[in-house]
Amino acid sequence: MPLPLYLLAMAVFAMGTSEFMLAGLLPAIASDLDVTVGTAGTLTSAFAIGMVVGAPLVAALARSWPTSSSLLAFILTFAAAHAVGAITTSFPVLFATRVVAALANAGFLAVALTAAATLVSPDKKGRALAVLLSGTTVATIAGVPGGSVLGTVFGWRATFWAVAALCLPAALGIVKAIPAGRVKEEATGGPALQAELAQLKKPPLILMMLLGALVNAATFGSFTFLAPVVTDTAGLGELWISVVLVLFGAGSFAGVTVAGRLSDQRPGLVIAVGGPLLLIGWPALAVLANEPVALFALVFVQGALSFALGSTLITRVLYEAAEAPTMAGSYATAALNVGAAIGPLIAATTLSSAVGSLGPLWASGLLVAVTLLIAFPFRTVVAAGRSAEMLQ
């Protein structure tokens, strides 16, 4: 895989850390800015909504820019938003910086997903996507727990400064290593924006986006609420929360790495094997969560299966959107973040039910079941490898 892919992954690591780090910082932010924890929690919603809305919007606006200029502008905007967030004493200003950061993140990821596909041969899109998404999985392994520790020791503002600092070497690498790329269709003879948006009418593309969103909803529904499973159900101390998060992240890294080598040529294998195992895994985790050894093992496995299946479906989005070269990445980004936004909301509704902290795990199992029920009648389409047209 070419070096620019790893530089893009470094930026995705910084952005992934930012997206997930607030879970451990909300009480401190609420206390410092004199708001309730519930109000501080809207910062997470602001980021997720900004990602969903921003992916297609910003990608469309950036079509006239060279690839390297787009990526550089997005990552510098992202860094600046975190610098402002680190110094502000106003909650509304901090809220605004999260929206700006989300828009920059969405734009960066949308362009980066498209750029990653163009940096490799057409039959290696899945592997390129795996390298790019490894930035997110490494963020769950190291970035999020590290940010939590940094915030505990030096205050939540230090974590914001750290994220801003992480963006700088990635920005320098983009300047040095990412080719300027083509500009929009008027300069290259590529499809017009209207034609690219028309691809959203294709049933296979809609199907892949829906399935990808559902799997991601299941993933982040449980990931968001793993902490009470560790402390309440398993009866472990708070320090074990970071251990469990690291295990989930390590599993996700393994899953996306393995799937990256299979999703181009044999997506059907990943889906046929990974889907049923993922469906079994969430209820199994709910039943066995009171046993620490089983909890640790299943968290790792579910992280691996979730990202293996999710990344394969997102790769299929890129293939189905091949005729929308500048917008395909935004469609994949939107699918990912619709799931990341609705999954925790669905999971949160189960916390007050009879199953309590195990509710999100059962909800994730239900979401995977819905995914497989939708996919089964279209299994030939879902499992299709890259088409001849996509290789041209």
Side-chain angles (χ1 to χ4, degrees):
M1 292 288 104
L3 174 63
L5 274 178
Y6 295 96
L7 298 173
L8 294 177
M10 181 188 299
V12 172
F13 166 75
M15 293 177 174
T17 299
S18 174
E19 184 172 4
F20 308 130
M21 71 183 182
L22 288 186
L25 303 177
L26 290 181
I29 292 174
S31 176
D32 190 20
L33 300 184
D34 196 24
V35 297
T36 66
V37 173
T39 299
T42 61
L43 295 172
T44 300
S45 299
F47 199 95
I49 293 171
M51 287 287 289
V52 173
V53 174
L57 177 62
V58 180
L61 292 175
R63 294 174 83 244
S64 61
W65 303 351
T67 300
S68 58
S69 298
S70 299
L71 293 171
L72 183 61
F74 290 136
I75 196 170
L76 291 180
T77 300
F78 186 84
H82 282 75
V84 173
I87 63 176
T88 186
T89 57
S90 167
F91 182 79
V93 172
L94 181 60
F95 187 94
T97 66
R98 295 305 288 171
V99 174
V100 171
L103 291 172
N105 189 353
F108 182 92
L109 191 56
V111 175
L113 283 167
T114 303
T118 63
L119 289 171
V120 297
S121 59
D123 61 335
K124 293 182 179 179
K125 286 184 180 180
R127 290 185 63 185
L129 180 63
V131 170
L132 191 64
L133 291 182
S134 69
T136 298
T137 59
V138 172
T140 63
I141 297 171
V144 175
S148 179
V149 171
L150 189 64
T152 300
V153 177
F154 297 105
W156 67 269
R157 297 178 188 276
T159 305
F160 275 66
W161 281 119
V163 170
L166 279 172
C167 294
L168 299 182
L172 180 61
I174 288 169
V175 172
K176 297 293 185 180
I178 300 294
R182 59 180 184 275
V183 295
K184 72 174 184 177
E185 73 287 352
E186 286 84 357
T188 64
L193 177 59
Q194 184 176 1
E196 294 202 45
L197 293 175
Q199 296 300 305
L200 290 172
K201 298 179 181 179
K202 292 173 54 178
L205 175 57
I206 296 172
L207 176 64
M208 299 307 165
M209 292 177 67
L210 174 61
L211 297 179
L214 285 170
V215 169
N216 213 40
T219 302
F220 285 93
S222 285
F223 176 79
T224 302
F225 297 105
L226 278 177
V229 174
V230 175
T231 56
D232 298 345
T233 305
L236 300 174
E238 292 186 358
L239 290 177
W240 287 98
I241 295 174
S242 294
V243 174
V244 169
L245 293 178
V246 168
L247 284 171
F248 186 90
S252 65
F253 181 79
V256 79
T257 301
V258 172
R261 298 182 176 276
L262 296 173
S263 58
D264 289 308
Q265 304 291 345
R266 306 187 69 183
L269 176 63
V270 178
I271 295 167
V273 175
L277 289 177
L278 187 62
L279 174 60
I280 295 169
W282 288 125
L285 181 55
V287 171
L288 299 172
N290 61 326
E291 298 290 340
V293 173
L295 172 66
F296 297 155
L298 284 170
V299 161
F300 177 87
V301 171
Q302 289 304 96
L305 292 171
S306 294
F307 274 77
L309 189 60
S311 65
T312 297
L313 290 169
I314 294 303
T315 298
R316 297 288 292 119
V317 170
L318 294 178
Y319 278 127
E320 293 296 342
E323 295 180 23
T326 68
M327 295 297 292
S330 71
Y331 302 157
T333 302
L336 280 170
N337 285 282
V338 165
I342 66 173
L345 294 177
I346 293 172
T349 65
T350 68
L351 293 172
S352 58
S353 68
V355 291
S357 61
L358 296 177
L361 303 178
W362 290 107
S364 291
L366 180 60
L367 285 166
V368 175
V370 171
T371 303
L372 296 180
L373 285 174
I374 294 173
F376 185 76
F378 307 102
R379 56 192 179 278
T380 303
V381 176
V382 174
R386 56 193 175 89
S387 67
E389 290 80 11
M390 293 172 185
L391 291 175
Q392 294 176 357

